[in-house]
Amino acid sequence: MLEDTLKRMKKAQTFLANASNDLKNRALDAVAEMLNKNRDNILKQNGLDLENAARENLPDPIIKRLKFDNQKMDVVIDGIRGLMRLEDPANKVIFKRELDDGLILTRLSVPIGVIGVIFESRPDALVQIATLCIKSGNGAILKGGREAAHTNRILADLIVKAITDVDKLFADTVFLIETREDVAEIITFNKYISLIIPRGSNEFVQYIQKNSTIPVLGHADGICHVYFDRTLDLDKAVKIAVDSKTQYVSVCNAAETFLVHKEIAGQLLPVLNKALKAKGVNVKGCARTKKIIPDIEDATDKDWKTEYLDYIISIKIVDTIDDAIDHINTYGSGHTDAIVTLDNDSARKFRELVDTANVMVNCSTRFSDGYRYGFGAEVGVSTNK
Amino acid sequence: MLEDTLKRMKKAQTFLANASNDLKNRALDAVAEMLNKNRDNILKQNGLDLENAARENLPDPIIKRLKFDNQKMDVVIDGIRGLMRLEDPANKVIFKRELDDGLILTRLSVPIGVIGVIFESRPDALVQIATLCIKSGNGAILKGGREAAHTNRILADLIVKAITDVDKLFADTVFLIETREDVAEIITFNKYISLIIPRGSNEFVQYIQKNSTIPVLGHADGICHVYFDRTLDLDKAVKIAVDSKTQYVSVCNAAETFLVHKEIAGQLLPVLNKALKAKGVNVKGCARTKKIIPDIEDATDKDWKTEYLDYIISIKIVDTIDDAIDHINTYGSGHTDAIVTLDNDSARKFRELVDTANVMVNCSTRFSDGYRYGFGAEVGVSTNK
């Protein structure tokens, strides 16, 4: 049964892969219109999910994510309009070279294929992922959080209806699956699916990585650092620290450890401690840090390995920038690491030697984000090489 | 023990990753000089391997690959000089964008890290891989074939000596391992190694893919097709067919199946059959093919799935280009597939709908090669998305 659907999806994706930008944009426009016209229905279905969530006493942050109101709908529809304005990422000639007389080599960007995305309980994520896949020519198998089942179902139905109205051949490009059994099944179909993107907890990503025969785009940890160099702008340093730690604590690009050069520690730590405490952050530190700001908890080796995803920070004093780099390369997850410095040589050294995907210089780790980089919304994150 | 070496390699690779093009070229130049000066020693060690091979009655093709004479040495040294002329692939600014006032996003090309390459019994491959890794800023763990043990050992020793003379910090960027136990051990060290490239048999690649916790760049099959369209240049068609099948049968980009449009079959097949037979190819065909050229063997469903790597071809008549595309997308390995046609619409359709890494239009499948594309030698091949 599922295999038949996947076969059809693979075929439909080949059509989508070669659809013109104009046709894909008309499909996206139809989705935006369809969602806009069906706000009441969507809100009603979302209401059912919210009732269930209340009955099950789900925690507030989940309910907040689950709620799909008119404001979120506006954001989602705006997002689709923005996507329509982006240039077509598919079938772009990356380069062309004449190898010999009459022998021409052309490299084209091509879609990946059918992608399975398993995401958390945010219904807006479903719309983002589906529309990004349409724009980029990829088939989308979507599995959302169980809590959002009613909302996801109506959203997927409306999206499929909208794009099928534009062209029947779009019908099998987007497909919603609803059970864990379906997930366990699809991750074995490497014949039809080219990529799995699991979002969610470390355990979940690792489960998928271990059990999938399909390449997995995912990352397990986000242990991000900010290193405060010998010379820096104190005011900027505190702002970057507070933003990196507290702007949104439960995400992978939030900072978990601050490394502080011993020569700036005396000046920086008291101000930093105050600013963090004002935001409700539980500050932990190494023995040397505690000598300067004694009203904090002990940080142990375990802290350097911990992704708190919470209002907790660990602080360590280092003797040199090399020690900071060593610490990051030992305990970091290769996601995002920042340096705050006035010294160009330090910035260059940090950039060159820290083994991480995103190096920030005098900038919050929170800026590490596909949307902020101007690449459209993110579907998944990988720290693989 | 091995872990200590890997730790040192990871550190040395960080140095290599940031070495200037000039320094890396000086290291490559030193390697070329060192090999040139030590031709006699290398040939002597290769002689030991050849004696062992003779004693063990190894097949001729292996002995041919194993033999490292002055001519192969010239090619290898020329290759290094060519590598020196290539622009530095590392630390190139891919793009730069000002996101906001004073907030600049820069994307850089960076080396992968430490790479483990397991390759067959060609000692020249050791030199190619090591020097490509140096040029691109990647650490190289090398494991060659057991048959070439003496040759590989002296080549690795000379390379390490040459680059260490240029800068001591190069010392741990290249490392030879010699046993299967070492291979089994390194593929678990995802902390120090970023990529494994296994070359060799399907079974071997699959063993590595199943047992490695490190991303693997490898491919299992190379089932390549040539489709002969309704209208074509008969003479060119036969040349492309013969080259695709016979130019080098034991490689992954050799053709294994020809698909022939029913309207051209009557004209093409007799000529094609004659040309293939003249090259000693065992021709197999579907029932319709046998009606036109009866002096061939039957091809069954198993043939469409078989990578012969030999002087054998399977031929199938198809009613339409769509049938040909369906066949390729069902049985192909996504490596290289060719169309021979005079019709631009057919060429475009084939290019768009065949799900393969390399699409050839009026060109032999054998051209699918990094070196022929002008990208330098190939270290490995992947048909993953």
Side-chain angles (χ1 to χ4, degrees), chain B residues 51 107 216 257 270 375:
Chain B
E51 277 171 34
R107 182 186 279 173
V216 175
T257 298
F375 302 140

Side-chain angles (χ1 to χ4, degrees), chain A residues 156-359:
Chain A
D157 284 350
L158 291 171
I159 291 171
V160 172
K161 187 170 178 344
I163 59 181
T164 308
D165 284 351
V166 172
D167 192 317
K168 270 192 317 219
L169 294 173
F170 279 124
D172 291 308
T173 58
V174 176
F175 182 61
L176 183 73
I177 59 175
E178 299 195 302
T179 66
R180 286 183 189 195
E181 290 70 35
D182 282 347
V183 171
E185 202 177 338
I186 67 155
I187 62 176
T188 64
F189 281 115
N190 57 19
K191 198 168 164 187
Y192 308 110
I193 305 174
S194 296
L195 184 68
I196 298 286
I197 304 180
R199 318 202 316 187
S201 70
N202 294 0
E203 296 73 38
F204 176 66
V205 173
Q206 280 167 12
Y207 157 77
I208 297 286
Q209 279 172 330
K210 275 200 191 111
N211 291 285
S212 175
T213 58
I214 303 167
V216 175
L217 190 154
H219 72 119
D221 285 305
I223 301 184
C224 303
H225 301 78
V226 183
Y227 164 60
F228 300 90
D229 197 27
R230 212 168 48 86
T231 62
L232 47 70
D233 177 327
L234 208 66
D235 189 43
K236 210 185 243 181
V238 173
K239 279 186 187 155
I240 290 171
V242 169
D243 190 80
S244 295
K245 180 63 250 181
T246 69
Q247 203 262 338
Y248 195 174
V249 296
S250 61
V251 289
C252 53
N253 64 6
E256 308 294 3
T257 298
F258 292 155
L259 301 166
V260 180
H261 193 284
K262 63 176 178 186
E263 290 177 33
I264 200 76
Q267 264 185 282
L268 177 67
L269 287 177
V271 200
L272 190 57
N273 188 31
K274 212 173 144 191
L276 291 166
K277 290 263 164 76
K279 288 279 185 176
V281 177
N282 174 5
V283 179
K284 295 175 157 201
C286 68
R288 290 162 81 185
T289 303
K290 286 198 74 170
K291 275 195 188 144
I292 298 170
I293 43 170
D295 62 329
I296 60 170
E297 286 184 32
D298 287 323
T300 66
D301 196 56
K302 195 169 162 256
D303 285 287
W304 315 133
K305 299 175 190 165
T306 302
E307 183 179 18
Y308 302 117
L309 297 173
D310 203 346
Y311 285 88
I312 309 173
I313 190 83
S314 57
I315 302 181
K316 186 187 186 178
I317 291 181
V318 292
D319 290 329
T320 62
I321 182 172
D322 297 279
D323 289 351
I325 292 166
D326 269 354
H327 180 99
I328 294 171
N329 288 347
T330 305
Y331 298 103
S333 58
H335 187 299
T336 302
D337 298 281
I339 180 172
V340 180
T341 186
L342 292 175
D343 181 343
N344 281 336
D345 287 340
S346 290
R348 189 186 45 74
K349 186 172 197 175
F350 191 84
R351 198 279 290 158
E352 288 185 348
L353 301 184
V354 167
D355 189 15
T356 194
N358 301 274
V359 178

Side-chain angles (χ1 to χ4, degrees), chain A residues 46-221:
Chain A
N46 187 245
L48 297 176
D49 287 331
L50 289 171
E51 278 171 31
N52 283 338
R55 197 160 32 231
E56 294 180 25
N57 284 315
L58 294 185
D60 273 358
I62 289 192
I63 291 182
K64 221 169 129 186
R65 286 168 156 232
L66 187 56
K67 189 168 184 171
F68 200 51
D69 53 16
N70 265 312
Q71 201 187 335
K72 279 197 191 165
M73 189 87 81
D74 288 341
V75 173
V76 157
I77 290 171
D78 272 2
I80 299 173
R81 304 280 180 212
L83 206 50
M84 290 170 63
R85 285 189 297 271
L86 289 184
E87 72 171 318
D88 192 348
N91 300 309
K92 270 164 62 173
V93 175
I94 312 275
F95 74 72
K96 210 167 176 164
R97 177 187 285 179
E98 188 162 12
L99 298 178
D100 202 342
D101 198 25
L103 187 61
I104 295 160
L105 174 68
T106 312
R107 182 185 280 171
L108 293 173
S109 68
V110 291
I112 293 166
V114 175
I115 303 178
V117 189
I118 305 141
F119 52 97
E120 64 284 11
S121 301
R122 278 197 304 120
D124 42 332
L126 185 148
V127 183
Q128 278 179 351
I129 296 164
T131 52
L132 269 169
C133 282
I134 292 168
K135 179 78 183 193
S136 57
N138 293 296
I141 301 171
L142 306 166
K143 164 75 173 72
R146 192 181 53 82
E147 302 81 7
H150 290 94
T151 321
N152 287 338
R153 207 171 299 149
I154 188 168
L155 288 173
D157 284 350
L158 291 171
I159 291 171
V160 172
K161 187 170 178 344
I163 59 181
T164 308
D165 284 351
V166 172
D167 192 317
K168 270 192 317 219
L169 294 173
F170 279 124
D172 291 308
T173 58
V174 176
F175 182 61
L176 183 73
I177 59 175
E178 299 195 302
T179 66
R180 286 183 189 195
E181 290 70 35
D182 282 347
V183 171
E185 202 177 338
I186 67 155
I187 62 176
T188 64
F189 281 115
N190 57 19
K191 198 168 164 187
Y192 308 110
I193 305 174
S194 296
L195 184 68
I196 298 286
I197 304 180
R199 318 202 316 187
S201 70
N202 294 0
E203 296 73 38
F204 176 66
V205 173
Q206 280 167 12
Y207 157 77
I208 297 286
Q209 279 172 330
K210 275 200 191 111
N211 291 285
S212 175
T213 58
I214 303 167
V216 175
L217 190 154
H219 72 119
D221 285 305

Side-chain angles (χ1 to χ4, degrees), chain B residues 3 16 34 41 44 69 154 194 203 208 220 231 273 277 292 302 310 341 348-349 351:
Chain B
E3 186 167 3
L16 179 61
M34 183 69 84
N41 285 335
K44 201 189 286 172
D69 54 14
I154 188 170
S194 295
E203 297 72 39
I208 297 285
T231 64
N273 188 30
K277 289 264 164 77
I292 299 171
K302 195 168 162 256
D310 204 346
T341 187
R348 191 187 42 74
K349 187 172 198 177
R351 199 280 290 159

Side-chain angles (χ1 to χ4, degrees), chain B residues 197-240:
Chain B
I197 303 180
R199 320 204 311 190
S201 70
N202 294 0
E203 297 72 39
F204 176 66
V205 173
Q206 281 169 10
Y207 157 77
I208 297 285
Q209 280 173 330
K210 277 200 190 111
N211 291 283
S212 176
T213 57
I214 303 166
V216 175
L217 188 154
H219 72 119
D221 286 305
I223 300 184
C224 304
H225 301 77
V226 183
Y227 163 62
F228 299 91
D229 198 27
R230 212 168 50 85
T231 64
L232 47 71
D233 177 327
L234 208 65
D235 190 43
K236 211 185 242 181
V238 174
K239 279 187 189 155
I240 290 170

Side-chain angles (χ1 to χ4, degrees), chain B residues 234-284:
Chain B
L234 208 65
D235 190 43
K236 211 185 242 181
V238 174
K239 279 187 189 155
I240 290 170
V242 169
D243 191 80
S244 294
K245 180 64 248 181
T246 70
Q247 204 260 340
Y248 195 174
V249 296
S250 62
V251 289
C252 55
N253 63 7
E256 308 295 3
T257 298
F258 293 156
L259 302 165
V260 180
H261 193 283
K262 61 176 179 187
E263 291 177 33
I264 199 74
Q267 264 185 280
L268 177 68
L269 286 178
V271 201
L272 190 57
N273 188 30
K274 214 174 139 189
L276 291 166
K277 289 264 164 77
K279 287 280 185 178
V281 177
N282 175 6
V283 179
K284 297 176 154 199

